[in-house]
Amino acid sequence: MEAVQIRMREYPGTGPARDVWQLTRDPLRALSDGEVALALDTISIDPGMSGWITNKRSYMPPVKPGGVMRAFGVGEVVESKSERFSPGDWVTGFTGVQTHGVFHGENLRRIDASLAPPAKFLSGFGMTGYTGFFGMSDIGQPMEGETVVVSAASGAVGSIAAQVAKAAGARVIGIAGGPEKCAYLQSELGLGHAIDYKNCNVGDALKKACPDEIDLYFDNVGGETLEAVLGLMKHQGRIVVCGAISQYADFAGAQGPANFMAVVTHSLSIRGFTMRDYMHRIPEALEWLVPAWREGRLKMREHVVEGIEKFPDAYDMIFRGENHGKLLLKVGGEK
């Protein structure tokens, strides 16, 4: 069986951006004890990928030149020498951007495809869903009547975080790019207000939307948006830092807000996190997410790009804000 992969040829910055990626084909190797062969169905495209392809200190080692690009995926077991899995099982994990692969069973997690289509386990029932859920519920801890602001609120993580805050009784203001995304936040997710950062001054819009200032901010973008929010935080307000996509183009040289002293003057609490902190608690997230989705209290949206050869387009798309919902790459490896 042949596998098609996307490899990182070299770290970005040494040549044209598209030269970073290389499409290759290799036969699957024979399985060793404890391993399984997967036919991948769908791959997750995430902003965090930019941090995986820079040779700088981060929360994970970088992808090495020539290596298969790191990514979460879902796939079906087609052959097994692992006691943990049998052919026909659906699993998820760090599969890389490829149509097929051989993996050690200990690095994969079984998913229940009877609960939802497998791709949902890369969306609301996957790492982005868990991130939005734990970041908001466990760290942010929104309360009824509070004013909560979420940046990148129409995105995969932000939309879940915003809905968790709304379910807690908070007044939620979402920040997103473009009229379509803002309309989605209000008409589909039912947020109290939406701010289009592409067509207005975010600071001025926040002042109007938050006359009583902000209790809790869920930050996905950093940069100027974080600076605008800092100036409007309540005394002892809370900030959850999930990401800083506005800074990812220069991951090593990311700049902090000019008014960072507001953290001192307003006694603010700031906490960053990644899902690495919560892997052992995934069942808790599913206990809330699955019933909420089935009962119509939680909405999730996917943006699917077809074909593994479209990975470079999909990767660029997420940093231009062109996706509407969780960005997924359908690779559809033959079984």
Side-chain angles (χ1 to χ4, degrees):
M1 184 179 294
E2 184 180 63
V4 182
Q5 311 94 357
I6 295 291
R7 296 182 184 274
M8 188 195 75
R9 188 198 308 265
E10 58 187 355
Y11 292 118
T14 58
R18 287 305 178 99
D19 285 353
V20 170
W21 311 115
Q22 180 181 23
L23 190 144
T24 59
R25 300 173 185 271
D26 294 299
L28 277 191
R29 63 173 175 81
L31 272 61
S32 298
D33 288 343
E35 292 184 327
V36 299
L38 298 185
L40 279 303
D41 179 81
T42 307
I43 301 298
S44 177
I45 308 296
D46 298 294
M49 284 177 160
S50 65
W52 301 340
I53 57 172
T54 179
N55 194 19
K56 304 292 182 182
R57 183 176 180 270
S58 186
Y59 63 95
M60 295 184 74
V63 178
K64 294 181 179 180
V68 175
M69 178 57 193
R70 181 182 295 143
F72 288 107
V74 292
E76 185 177 351
V77 176
V78 293
E79 184 181 354
S80 177
K81 284 192 176 181
S82 168
E83 295 180 354
R84 297 163 58 94
F85 301 107
S86 302
D89 288 344
W90 281 87
V91 299
T92 186
F94 273 124
T95 63
V97 183
Q98 52 190 336
T99 58
H100 301 80
V102 173
F103 308 91
H104 200 284
E106 292 183 354
N107 298 326
L108 301 170
R109 182 171 56 84
R110 181 182 286 104
I111 59 176
D112 186 351
S114 69
L115 293 177
K120 290 286 185 187
F121 289 86
L122 296 176
S123 176
F125 299 157
M127 291 298 168
T128 51
Y130 309 150
T131 300
F133 174 78
F134 285 118
M136 184 58 77
S137 66
D138 193 68
I139 300 176
Q141 299 184 13
M143 293 181 281
E144 187 171 356
E146 287 191 322
T147 296
V148 177
V149 174
V150 179
S151 57
S154 70
V157 173
S159 62
I160 300 296
Q163 291 178 86
V164 170
K166 180 174 177 285
R171 176 175 176 262
V172 185
I173 292 92
I175 303 173
E180 183 181 350
K181 291 183 178 180
C182 287
Y184 172 73
L185 294 179
Q186 293 187 282
S187 63
E188 294 294 322
L189 302 191
L191 302 194
H193 194 79
I195 294 173
D196 181 357
Y197 75 83
K198 290 186 175 180
N199 293 292
C200 74
N201 180 286
V202 172
D204 292 342
L206 281 171
K207 287 177 184 177
K208 293 179 182 178
C210 309
D212 298 321
E213 299 185 315
I214 300 165
D215 295 281
L216 170 62
Y217 174 49
F218 191 98
D219 186 25
N220 285 302
V221 302
E224 294 178 357
T225 301
L226 174 58
E227 189 167 310
V229 172
L230 272 174
L232 294 170
M233 292 295 297
K234 282 186 180 178
H235 179 253
Q236 294 188 339
R238 294 104 65 203
I239 297 176
V240 179
V241 181
C242 179
I245 194 169
S246 71
Q247 305 286 296
Y248 287 172
D250 184 10
F251 196 80
Q255 299 294 311
N259 58 346
F260 193 73
M261 276 300 294
V263 176
V264 177
T265 60
H266 285 65
S267 301
L268 303 180
S269 298
I270 300 181
R271 180 174 163 188
F273 78 106
T274 70
M275 259 308 294
R276 182 174 61 175
D277 305 328
Y278 288 95
M279 294 299 292
H280 61 295
R281 293 177 57 182
I282 285 175
E284 293 178 43
L286 289 173
E287 285 179 8
W288 191 91
L289 294 166
V290 173
W293 177 68
R294 285 183 161 178
E295 295 164 13
R297 294 181 285 111
L298 176 73
K299 296 185 179 181
M300 21 181 161
R301 182 168 64 167
E302 290 86 33
H303 186 137
V304 180
V305 176
E306 297 274 352
I308 191 169
E309 72 282 357
K310 296 291 183 64
F311 171 78
D313 296 325
Y315 179 84
D316 290 347
M317 178 185 295
I318 202 166
F319 294 102
R320 293 196 298 259
E322 295 172 356
N323 56 302
H324 297 276
K326 179 70 190 81
L327 186 57
L328 302 174
L329 183 69
K330 188 83 168 178
V331 297
E334 295 182 3
K335 300 176 179 66

